[in-house]
Amino acid sequence: MTTKDDKMLSTEFCGMRFDTPLVLLSGCVGFGEEYTRVEGFSNRDVGAVCLKGTTLEARLGNAPHRVYETPGGMLNAIGLQNPGARYVVDTILPTLDFEETRFIANIAGSTVEEYAEVARIFDDSSVDAIEINISCPNVKAGGVAFGNDPEMSARVVEAVRRATTKPLITKLSPNQTDIAASASRCIEAGTDGFAVINTLMGMAIDIEQRAPILGNRQGGLSGPAIKPVALLKTHQVYQVCRPHGIPIIGQGGIASAQDALEFLIAGASAVGVGTALFYDPLICPKINAGIAEYLDRHKIPEVSQLVGSLATAPPAPACGN
């Protein structure tokens, strides 16, 4: 990027300076090193990288199949395969280049206590922030996902808030009745920011075997198919966040500069790129260039000035002759 683009694209998120508004999403780039093996790829093209979801103890994840391509998207049911929080902090983090970009830990758990313990481990580490994955099932509540209940979500945020002084980003699930109500409770509980949205739940069936294709039966749907839902949820959460100055990472199906711009206009301060990386690992510089071109064309000096600039009503139709 040119010096001019550097200034236009840099933004602040939860007190952190992001060189660009792009964030690589958890689960899509391993622990920050996976795509660095691709020629031409650089973590310097993004403002932050969200590390793979991490639990207290190591997990093998779900039985195969764990990934399935769908029209306009992808189902995944990885099952949080990871080597455990202590291994990530002691062995993986020292190998990352923190001069390239920001690194955000993504934490998960089956109980409120586990979330807090994982947060304490990452609090004493070099990560810049902690993202809370509240889409995990609460074993003490019969497997109900934390993120589908505003009160359960708030309990997790409260526990993690007590366990760390690092910026907290709560990843909201779209699989709930009122995402705005959940956002409101999480703000009261102490979150500093949001990631909106996590995947939508879906499934695929092998009609010859008459059996689920995914070993877990169901999985999370990502990719362009969910973009309209993600865009609406981002705008709904922005209405709650705006009075409090709480920033949002908008995510879900972003595959072009236009997609990213829509999320910024809807209220996101940063935008997440995930599934698109699987078919175009070098997509981030293209998105950055498109955002910079748009800002220049509209004479907007900084990307932050675009955030939440959605008009209150659609433009009137042009009159015919």
Side-chain angles (χ1 to χ4, degrees):
M1 293 185 293
T2 65
T3 302
K4 179 182 178 182
D5 289 349
D6 288 349
K7 183 178 179 182
M8 294 173 78
L9 294 179
S10 66
T11 190
E12 183 177 295
F13 192 93
C14 292
M16 301 176 286
R17 182 182 181 274
F18 285 1
D19 288 339
T20 87
L22 304 190
V23 177
L24 301 186
L25 299 183
S26 177
C28 298
V29 291
F31 283 98
E33 81 300 335
E34 192 165 295
Y35 277 84
T36 59
R37 297 190 290 270
V38 177
E39 184 177 357
F41 180 91
S42 174
N43 280 332
R44 295 185 186 278
D45 291 322
V46 300
V49 174
C50 291
L51 305 180
K52 196 174 189 319
T54 305
T55 50
L56 185 58
E57 304 295 338
R59 290 181 58 154
L60 291 175
N62 292 327
H65 295 293
R66 305 202 293 187
V67 176
Y68 181 73
E69 186 176 359
T70 66
M74 181 185 77
L75 284 168
N76 92 84
I78 305 301
L80 290 172
Q81 178 178 330
N82 75 94
R86 179 52 59 192
Y87 182 90
V88 173
V89 168
D90 294 343
T91 305
I92 296 178
L93 293 187
T95 69
L96 301 180
D97 187 349
F98 280 77
E99 293 185 1
E100 286 188 329
T101 190
R102 302 281 189 172
F103 288 99
I104 299 171
N106 177 287
I107 67 170
S110 298
T111 65
V112 173
E113 293 78 13
E114 183 179 353
Y115 275 100
E117 184 58 30
V118 177
R120 275 189 285 270
I121 292 172
F122 277 109
D123 184 60
D124 187 26
S125 79
S126 53
V127 296
D128 295 286
I130 295 175
E131 180 179 63
I132 311 172
N133 177 0
I134 51 175
S135 294
C136 302
N138 180 357
V139 297
K140 292 186 178 180
V144 178
F146 286 100
N148 292 351
D149 183 311
E151 293 307 313
M152 290 170 64
S153 299
R155 284 182 57 209
V156 173
V157 174
E158 286 171 351
V160 173
R161 178 75 286 166
R162 289 193 296 267
T164 181
T165 59
K166 292 184 184 292
L168 291 185
I169 302 163
T170 304
K171 193 171 189 176
L172 294 179
S173 167
N175 305 301
Q176 57 181 308
T177 304
D178 190 344
I179 197 170
S182 183
S184 181
R185 285 292 292 116
C186 289
I187 291 172
E188 293 170 1
T191 195
D192 299 300
F194 289 104
V196 184
I197 55 176
N198 207 333
T199 53
L200 289 158
M201 297 311 299
M203 74 178 298
I205 293 174
D206 181 331
I207 60 171
E208 299 303 326
Q209 300 295 324
R210 291 181 237 168
I213 290 176
L214 295 175
N216 192 55
R217 300 182 69 89
Q218 65 182 38
L221 177 65
S222 62
I226 74 168
K227 180 196 154 192
V229 176
L231 194 62
L232 174 61
K233 299 297 183 182
T234 295
H235 188 57
Q236 290 173 336
V237 173
Y238 176 66
Q239 306 309 309
V240 176
C241 291
R242 181 171 49 184
H244 304 279
I246 301 290
I248 300 166
I249 302 172
Q251 56 198 53
I254 294 173
S256 67
Q258 177 171 326
D259 293 336
L261 287 162
E262 288 185 53
F263 276 85
L264 292 165
I265 292 168
S269 295
V271 291
V273 180
T275 303
L277 291 166
F278 297 151
Y279 54 85
D280 187 357
L282 304 183
I283 195 170
C284 291
K286 301 171 189 175
I287 295 176
N288 283 332
I291 295 173
E293 185 278 329
Y294 177 91
L295 294 174
D296 191 53
R297 179 158 48 88
H298 287 270
K299 296 180 171 54
I300 301 172
E302 298 177 356
V303 70
S304 60
Q305 294 183 18
L306 191 63
V307 174
S309 58
L310 183 69
T312 55
C319 295
N321 293 328

